[in-house]
Amino acid sequence: MTETLSNIELTRLWVEKLVVGEGLCPFAHPVMDKLHIEESTSTDLETITRSFLSLLNEMQLADDNDLPTALFIVTRALSDFDDYLDWLFVCEDLLEQSGLEGEIQLASFHPHYEFEGEDADAMTNYSNRSPFPMIHFIRENHISEALKTVTKPEAIPERNKRHMQRLGKEGLLNLMPELAESAIFVKK
């Protein structure tokens, strides 16, 4: 009998095994033990957006060392990638309006993420495919510090795409079989 993971547990495992374990994000390992994951189970976009703003406010008020990074996952809405992108643009506008642009950066992940110009089934998209629609809140000062230790940071996205191509779907599922029943592989 296999144990069913909560949405937050699955997200944390995805970060540990794929993002950190496969080296997709050189900034993640140092703050992994303080990673905060918040889940919105709402289907109402206004409620989800209020929860996003609440987490943004929490990040603003918290000490950098206490809350260095956070993931906001949406588990019952925004399954359509285009709808997610529309909402992401709203969130980026809200970040700018809050005066936190330059302090906090938003990174986007989605089960059906597609890079512009890439085929929908291309493995390159899997570097940004996550079990749930999510936004990663990253403190700019932590990125600046991490960049001091990374050679050619501008090459990270292309390196990750190549890594996912080498890994392939079978390799990804061998690495993390828990994703087999996730929205990454099960289209709803």
Side-chain angles (χ1 to χ4, degrees):
M1 184 171 143
T2 59
E3 178 184 337
T4 303
L5 298 172
S6 73
N7 297 333
I8 290 177
E9 289 169 332
L10 178 60
T11 301
R12 187 172 298 281
L13 190 63
W14 172 78
V15 172
E16 289 171 359
K17 285 188 172 184
L18 189 63
V19 178
V20 173
E22 293 298 302
L24 297 182
C25 179
F27 319 122
H29 187 268
V31 295
M32 185 64 203
D33 61 332
K34 293 186 179 179
L35 174 65
H36 175 73
I37 303 173
E38 191 151 320
E39 176 181 9
S40 172
T41 58
S42 179
T43 57
D44 176 65
L45 207 51
E46 189 175 313
T47 301
I48 294 167
T49 305
R50 278 197 307 269
S51 296
F52 164 85
L53 284 170
S54 177
L55 181 56
L56 183 62
N57 186 55
E58 188 178 341
M59 287 283 295
Q60 179 182 17
L61 297 175
D63 182 89
D64 285 15
N65 295 317
D66 294 335
L67 185 58
T69 189
L71 294 176
F72 181 71
I73 62 173
V74 180
T75 56
R76 297 184 59 219
L78 299 169
S79 60
D80 180 84
F81 185 56
D82 289 329
D83 291 345
Y84 167 80
L85 287 178
D86 291 343
W87 178 73
L88 176 64
F89 291 133
V90 169
C91 292
E92 289 172 340
D93 284 344
L94 291 169
L95 176 73
E96 185 179 339
Q97 291 171 28
S98 72
L100 293 174
E101 194 174 44
E103 289 181 46
I104 294 175
Q105 186 179 114
L106 304 179
S108 60
F109 299 89
H110 191 276
H112 310 296
Y113 199 99
E114 283 184 42
F115 287 104
E116 190 172 332
E118 295 283 344
D119 188 54
D121 292 329
M123 276 308 295
T124 52
N125 295 316
Y126 285 76
S127 67
N128 282 56
R129 288 196 177 170
S130 56
F132 308 100
M134 77 172 65
I135 292 181
H136 183 192
F137 292 73
I138 313 163
R139 292 189 186 272
E140 293 273 351
N141 60 332
H142 289 274
I143 293 173
S144 297
E145 281 302 308
L147 285 174
K148 293 176 184 176
T149 64
V150 176
T151 306
K152 296 186 181 179
E154 67 280 0
I156 292 171
E158 289 305 314
R159 186 195 72 219
N160 288 347
K161 289 177 181 182
R162 285 191 308 274
H163 180 71
M164 294 310 293
Q165 285 178 311
R166 283 190 303 271
L167 191 60
K169 287 181 185 177
E170 188 176 314
L172 177 57
L173 286 170
N174 284 336
L175 175 71
M176 197 171 166
E178 299 85 356
L179 291 179
E181 299 301 317
S182 77
I184 294 173
F185 290 102
V186 177
K187 307 287 185 209
K188 295 178 182 178

